Amino acid sequence: MRPLLSWAGRRAVLARTYSPGPSAGYRGASGAQGYVRNPPVGTCDLQGELDRFGGISVRLARLDALDRLDAAAFQKGLQAAVQQWRSEGRTAVWLHIPILQSRFIAPAASLGFCFHHAESDSSTLTLWLGEGPSRLPGYASHQVGVAGAVFDESTRKILVVQDRNKLENMWKFPGGLSEPGEDIGDTAVREVFEETGIKSEFRSLLSIRQQHTNPGAFGKSDMYIICRLKPYSFTINFCQHECLRCEWMDLNDLAKTENTTPITSRVARLLLYGYREGFDKIDLAVEELPAVHTGLFYKLYHKELPDNYKTMKGID
Amino acid sequence: MRPLLSWAGRRAVLARTYSPGPSAGYRGASGAQGYVRNPPVGTCDLQGELDRFGGISVRLARLDALDRLDAAAFQKGLQAAVQQWRSEGRTAVWLHIPILQSRFIAPAASLGFCFHHAESDSSTLTLWLGEGPSRLPGYASHQVGVAGAVFDESTRKILVVQDRNKLENMWKFPGGLSEPGEDIGDTAVREVFEETGIKSEFRSLLSIRQQHTNPGAFGKSDMYIICRLKPYSFTINFCQHECLRCEWMDLNDLAKTENTTPITSRVARLLLYGYREGFDKIDLAVEELPAVHTGLFYKLYHKELPDNYKTMKGID
């Protein structure tokens, strides 16, 4: 069982002012913050920043005379610096490299560094110096897709589409991948509008699916979330690029048809149950709460909780 | 509103045999699969693989004489190839580069390529050739953390910890980040055992939190999921590295204490409601279902659905 950053450890880091370097803590590590300048080696003088977990973070963009530095001199300097950091008992090295300076990646890799992640115009490499296997936190592990089950209670009709690119024409709910920083409900409303032209508003979260080693997620896992939406426009104007068909279908028909995916069928039956027995039986309500310490807010989803339990007034 | 790979489009790709190159479709794009060998330019002969969306995928590891290829010759060859692919109406180029060949990254970046992602020993760069802004699918956007609310109905006690690294000593549920490919419930059980020594089994999913621009997630979003677990061992042996304290606490006390986080307090009250009114009021049940086409299985979570609705037997 590979040791992993614990949520507890991670929250502990979030609980403090964020400092550059490893963006999350690693189990059992500790150290004071500060700057470490090791003696010049050849033409390369690496300045690292010490994080609270005893790791060193080096930002190449901050190095002097970076453009004149060749890969061999960098490798020599990095090798010496790593030796020193190891002797000082540092736990890890984080190397942040601008994409146009990527000639320094292979030399670092030859010293044992590997990619932690890369995005847009920079990459981050890591080298674990601590005991045992690396305890550094991983990068994002899931893609998040959201579908909108747009249900019109007054007509018992549900909005369904058939994909243009699919081999078989199966009815399903419109949906798509979350954009960076986008809330679940906002993704559902946006994707429904982009695909079908229907305007809607978030009502509840109905179901979550987790799937791994997903080719459509570049080998990562994906989380697929289905929301209940209420329509406030009804004229379909669907995206010809994506959809072959788009209809308002009777919920009973969708719950019974074989011309759909297992997850769509299941959610249709869940909706039928909620429609007949009360949506409180199937809905997860959403609430925005303040995050501790960080000044951020987050959305929390769970079954509706009676007010007296929320406040604990009169509960003993 | 930046166009994004639609879920529909993405599912369409998952519905087919996966081919290398872009791991997911992009909206409105189409093309036949095959191989594209463009005429040698200098010493660099780039062979690209055409994907179904009209994108070209080049795997440097497959190039001949890669070690003897210098960065300048590669850039010249890539520039000519991109010109040709553009003239052929290709939508995008995907460049897969082994970490030890990273000297080719900067030359590609100077032609407009940027990092899509990188992990371990390779990176993937992309260049959008289609009209308008890029419609290429993004990489994983969320970290997933799971906490276990281990509740012993027979004693009304709940398992809580205090983090060692925290400034304030707040009671919370043990938990941590999911390992790659790990199911939500398995993460909860593993983290509870690693932090507290308590053995437990998954009962239900209780709550989901989504938070963005999270420093603890390298600027990505995070999904934090709280599960209800049933203990089958009771002797605490907590991890000294991570925890300052670990206790079996009366659920009422946790629901009322101020010495906890808002989310822990909320879930404690949700549990109290479930304990008194029935856990069916708060639980999301889990079921494993077969994925369509891909041969994968997935876990689906939603409120318990009566069997007659699951089967639609006697429902009209």
Side-chain angles (χ1 to χ4, degrees):
Chain A
M1 187 159 45
R2 179 175 67 85
L4 188 78
L5 164 72
S6 77
W7 192 259
R10 180 145 166 262
R11 302 304 303 162
V13 178
L14 295 180
R16 305 176 179 198
T17 309
Y18 174 60
S19 67
S23 298
Y26 10 112
R27 175 176 299 162
S30 67
Q33 275 182 284
Y35 288 86
V36 179
R37 178 178 288 276
N38 64 300
V41 179
T43 61
C44 180
D45 176 11
L46 291 177
Q47 178 174 319
E49 195 173 327
L50 184 58
D51 67 57
R52 71 187 73 257
F53 304 100
I56 295 286
S57 188
V58 178
R59 300 184 172 274
L60 265 58
R62 294 184 187 167
L63 292 188
D64 305 334
L66 190 61
D67 295 336
R68 296 196 304 277
L69 182 62
D70 67 37
F74 171 78
Q75 180 169 348
K76 194 174 163 195
L78 182 60
Q79 186 166 26
V82 167
Q83 273 177 6
Q84 178 176 330
W85 291 325
R86 202 185 288 274
S87 72
E88 292 166 352
R90 304 307 174 199
T91 55
V93 184
W94 298 76
L95 215 49
H96 305 280
I97 303 179
I99 192 168
L100 290 176
Q101 308 294 346
S102 295
R103 67 183 183 282
F104 298 129
I105 292 174
S110 68
L111 297 177
F113 282 80
C114 62
F115 283 116
H116 182 273
H117 66 277
E119 186 174 19
S120 182
D121 62 357
S122 79
S123 65
T124 296
L125 282 71
T126 56
L127 176 65
W128 176 251
L129 301 179
E131 290 178 6
S134 170
R135 293 193 296 267
L136 296 177
Y139 194 57
S141 58
H142 286 64
Q143 276 188 341
V144 171
V146 186
V150 185
F151 182 60
D152 180 6
E153 293 179 53
S154 62
T155 60
R156 205 178 67 177
K157 301 270 192 189
I158 182 121
L159 186 66
V160 286
V161 297
Q162 286 184 1
D163 295 345
R164 171 163 295 285
N165 302 320
K166 271 180 72 55
L167 299 172
E168 299 153 58
N169 298 330
M170 289 190 165
W171 293 109
K172 50 176 53 170
F173 303 119
L177 288 179
S178 276
E179 293 188 0
E182 187 177 48
D183 284 339
I184 291 165
D186 296 336
T187 303
V189 167
R190 175 182 55 77
E191 283 287 338
V192 163
F193 181 74
E194 288 177 7
E195 280 185 46
T196 70
I198 297 298
K199 293 174 181 165
S200 63
E201 57 190 25
F202 177 85
R203 274 287 174 274
S204 71
L205 195 154
L206 292 175
S207 182
I208 299 156
R209 181 201 68 184
Q210 185 184 38
Q211 186 166 289
H212 302 298
T213 59
N214 193 322
F218 301 92
K220 293 293 179 178
S221 300
D222 83 62
M223 200 81 79
Y224 181 54
I225 298 170
I226 300 166
C227 301
R228 182 168 70 88
L229 305 180
K230 180 182 182 178
Y232 60 84
S233 85
F234 300 88
T235 306
I236 289 171
N237 175 20
F238 69 90
C239 172
Q240 305 287 339
H241 284 314
E242 291 180 76
C243 304
L244 199 64
R245 296 183 185 79
C246 178
E247 287 183 12
W248 286 105
M249 182 182 288
D250 185 275
L251 181 58
N252 274 37
D253 296 341
L254 183 62
K256 289 182 173 179
T257 184
E258 290 182 354
N259 195 23
T260 186
T261 64
I263 192 168
T264 308
S265 182
R266 171 60 59 90
V267 171
R269 293 166 186 195
L270 191 67
L271 272 167
L272 190 63
Y273 174 59
Y275 173 69
R276 294 184 176 185
E277 308 289 329
F279 286 116
D280 62 302
K281 291 246 193 305
I282 64 170
D283 286 344
L284 293 200
V286 64
E287 196 167 335
E288 187 165 70
L289 292 174
V292 187
H293 308 291
T294 60
L296 299 171
F297 285 79
Y298 57 73
K299 292 264 173 69
L300 186 67
Y301 303 82
H302 56 66
K303 283 286 294 163
E304 191 63 64
L305 183 62
D307 285 342
N308 56 329
Y309 278 93
K310 269 190 190 173
T311 60
M312 291 297 284
K313 291 260 166 53
I315 304 281
D316 47 37
Chain B
M1 185 158 47
R2 179 175 67 86
L4 188 77
L5 163 73
S6 78
W7 192 260
R10 179 143 166 264
R11 304 302 304 160
V13 179
L14 294 181
R16 304 176 180 199
T17 308
Y18 176 59
S19 67
S23 298
Y26 11 111
R27 174 177 300 161
S30 68
Q33 275 185 282
Y35 288 85
V36 178
R37 177 177 290 273
N38 65 299
V41 179
T43 61
C44 180
D45 177 10
L46 291 177
Q47 178 174 321
E49 195 172 327
L50 183 57
D51 67 55
R52 70 187 74 259
F53 305 99
I56 295 284
S57 188
V58 178
R59 299 183 172 275
L60 265 59
R62 296 182 185 169
L63 292 188
D64 304 334
L66 190 61
D67 294 337
R68 296 196 304 277
L69 182 62
D70 69 36
F74 171 78
Q75 181 169 349
K76 194 175 164 195
L78 182 60
Q79 187 165 26
V82 167
Q83 273 177 7
Q84 178 175 328
W85 291 325
R86 202 186 288 274
S87 71
E88 293 167 352
R90 305 306 175 202
T91 54
V93 183
W94 299 75
L95 214 49
H96 305 278
I97 304 179
I99 193 167
L100 290 176
Q101 307 296 347
S102 294
R103 67 184 184 280
F104 299 129
I105 292 174
S110 68
L111 297 176
F113 282 80
C114 63
F115 282 117
H116 182 272
H117 67 275
E119 186 175 20
S120 183
D121 61 359
S122 78
S123 65
T124 296
L125 281 70
T126 56
L127 177 65
W128 176 250
L129 300 177
E131 289 179 4
S134 170
R135 294 193 295 269
L136 297 177
Y139 194 58
S141 58
H142 286 63
Q143 277 188 339
V144 171
V146 185
V150 186
F151 182 59
D152 179 7
E153 293 179 54
S154 62
T155 60
R156 207 179 68 177
K157 301 269 190 188
I158 182 125
L159 185 65
V160 287
V161 299
Q162 286 184 2
D163 295 344
R164 171 162 295 286
N165 302 320
K166 272 180 71 55
L167 298 171
E168 299 153 60
N169 298 330
M170 289 190 165
W171 292 109
K172 50 177 52 173
F173 303 120
L177 287 178
S178 276
E179 293 188 0
E182 187 177 47
D183 285 339
I184 290 166
D186 296 336
T187 303
V189 167
R190 176 183 54 79
E191 283 288 339
V192 163
F193 180 74
E194 287 177 8
E195 280 185 47
T196 71
I198 297 298
K199 294 173 181 162
S200 63
E201 56 190 25
F202 178 84
R203 273 288 174 272
S204 71
L205 195 155
L206 292 175
S207 182
I208 299 157
R209 182 202 68 184
Q210 185 184 38
Q211 187 166 289
H212 301 299
T213 60
N214 193 322
F218 300 92
K220 293 291 180 179
S221 300
D222 84 62
M223 200 81 80
Y224 180 54
I225 298 169
I226 300 166
C227 301
R228 181 167 72 87
L229 305 180
K230 180 181 181 178
Y232 60 84
S233 85
F234 301 89
T235 305
I236 290 171
N237 175 19
F238 68 90
C239 172
Q240 305 288 340
H241 285 313
E242 291 180 75
C243 304
L244 198 64
R245 295 182 185 78
C246 178
E247 287 183 13
W248 286 106
M249 182 183 286
D250 185 276
L251 181 57
N252 274 39
D253 295 341
L254 183 61
K256 289 183 172 179
T257 184
E258 291 183 353
N259 196 22
T260 187
T261 64
I263 192 168
T264 308
S265 182
R266 171 60 60 88
V267 171
R269 293 165 186 196
L270 190 67
L271 273 167
L272 190 62
Y273 174 59
Y275 173 68
R276 293 184 177 184
E277 309 289 329
F279 286 116
D280 62 300
K281 290 244 192 311
I282 64 170
D283 285 343
L284 293 200
V286 65
E287 197 166 335
E288 187 165 72
L289 293 174
V292 186
H293 307 292
T294 60
L296 297 173
F297 284 79
Y298 57 73
K299 292 263 174 70
L300 186 67
Y301 303 82
H302 56 67
K303 283 285 293 162
E304 191 64 63
L305 184 62
D307 285 342
N308 56 329
Y309 278 93
K310 268 189 189 173
T311 60
M312 291 297 285
K313 292 259 166 53
I315 303 280
D316 46 39

